[in-house]
Amino acid sequence: EIVLAQSPGTLSLSPGERATLSCRASQTIDSRYLAWYQQKPGQAPRLLIYGASSRTTGVADRFSGSGSGTDFTLTISRLEPEDFAVYYCHHYGSSPQTFGQGTKVEIK
Amino acid sequence: QITLKESGPTLVKPTQILTLTCSFSGFSLSTTGVGVGWIRQPPGKGLEWLGIIYWDDDKRYSPSLKGRLSITKDTSKNHVVLTLTNVDPVDTATYYCAHRGSSGSYAFDFWGQGTMVTVSS
């Protein structure tokens, strides 16, 4: 089973700042099958990025994904008030699929 | 427009069987490449992948559930059913079903609103 470790656990930033979230896999994964989701309190997760770097339709271009092998990054270039949420990475290239434990982006 | 909705009991007793239904619209589970997955989230915790069923009836399960989980589909009714046996209080969670895309993105691109299940005597 591929374990995804996200860091940091919590990121305290101000609106307008840049957020860099990390997802490290316990073994090399195909970047075609790495996704990022955003989850706000009381809501279902929302797909932001798939294939490590492709934005889903309707996702703002301040969100970008990158990485390969075992190291992947989600970057939010300039935080907007609605971006404060929890973010999860997800590996879906083989079974069992796995999620990272999440990174909470909170207002500083 | 793809939508999914989970339904089932909100309270289940330990050792009983939990059955949840995912009712969906906007896609067919007979279309090549399509899948419906189940994911749960204990209160205040992260997401846990439970399993997935594909258009061809292939099924994959999380080994952590140790054979307690079964996922079936009824293509004609646009339903997917999750069955979890011998439930325990640690199974208390919000359960989500989600659509797995068949072109471009193979991630979970549409999610249900989730249904909260409590396991308690």
Side-chain angles (χ1 to χ4, degrees), chain B residues 20-36:
Chain B
L20 297 174
T21 299
C22 175
S23 302
F24 58 84
S25 63
F27 68 95
S28 172
L29 201 35
S30 59
T31 299
T32 299
V34 173
V36 172

Side-chain angles (χ1 to χ4, degrees), chain B residues 7-29:
Chain B
S7 60
T10 58
L11 180 64
V12 183
K13 289 181 167 46
T15 76
Q16 288 189 338
I17 297 172
L18 169 66
T19 301
L20 297 174
T21 299
C22 175
S23 302
F24 58 84
S25 63
F27 68 95
S28 172
L29 201 35

Side-chain angles (χ1 to χ4, degrees), chain A residues 2-20:
Chain A
I2 294 175
V3 176
L4 299 178
Q6 291 187 241
S7 62
T10 302
L11 202 48
S12 298
L13 295 168
S14 300
E17 289 194 294
R18 181 185 188 90
T20 303

Side-chain angles (χ1 to χ4, degrees), chain A residues 65-78:
Chain A
S66 63
S68 63
T70 60
D71 291 311
F72 298 87
T73 300
L74 175 69
T75 301
I76 311 171
S77 59
R78 296 171 310 279

Side-chain angles (χ1 to χ4, degrees), chain A residues 1 32-33 35 37 39 42-47 49-50 56 88 90 92 94-102, chain B residues 39 41 45-49 52 54 60-64 96 100 104-114:
Chain A
E1 173 176 324
R32 291 177 295 173
Y33 305 115
Y37 300 84
Q39 187 179 33
Q43 296 184 16
R46 171 196 175 202
L47 178 65
I49 301 285
Y50 63 92
T56 302
Y88 294 94
H90 168 218
Y92 52 100
S94 61
S95 291
Q97 299 183 22
T98 52
F99 288 91
Q101 82 278 20
Chain B
I39 303 97
Q41 185 170 37
K45 296 189 177 181
L47 302 171
E48 178 186 10
W49 181 82
I52 189 168
Y54 295 101
R60 304 298 170 101
Y61 301 119
S62 170
S64 69
Y96 296 99
R100 180 258 198 186
S105 163
Y106 294 103
F108 293 127
D109 51 5
F110 293 92
W111 293 61
Q113 63 191 22

Side-chain angles (χ1 to χ4, degrees), chain B residues 53-113:
Chain B
I53 187 165
Y54 295 101
W55 82 100
D56 59 358
D57 210 37
D58 186 24
K59 302 160 192 176
R60 304 298 170 101
Y61 301 119
S62 170
S64 69
L65 294 172
K66 299 175 184 175
R68 295 192 297 131
L69 178 66
S70 173
I71 300 173
T72 59
K73 64 181 176 71
D74 186 328
T75 304
S76 64
K77 293 182 179 178
N78 283 352
H79 283 174
V80 170
V81 176
L82 173 149
T83 303
L84 186 63
T85 62
N86 191 27
V87 297
D88 181 271
V90 300
D91 296 312
T92 294
T94 296
Y95 287 74
Y96 296 99
C97 62
H99 169 267
R100 180 258 198 186
S102 60
S103 61
S105 163
Y106 294 103
F108 293 127
D109 51 5
F110 293 92
W111 293 61
Q113 63 191 22

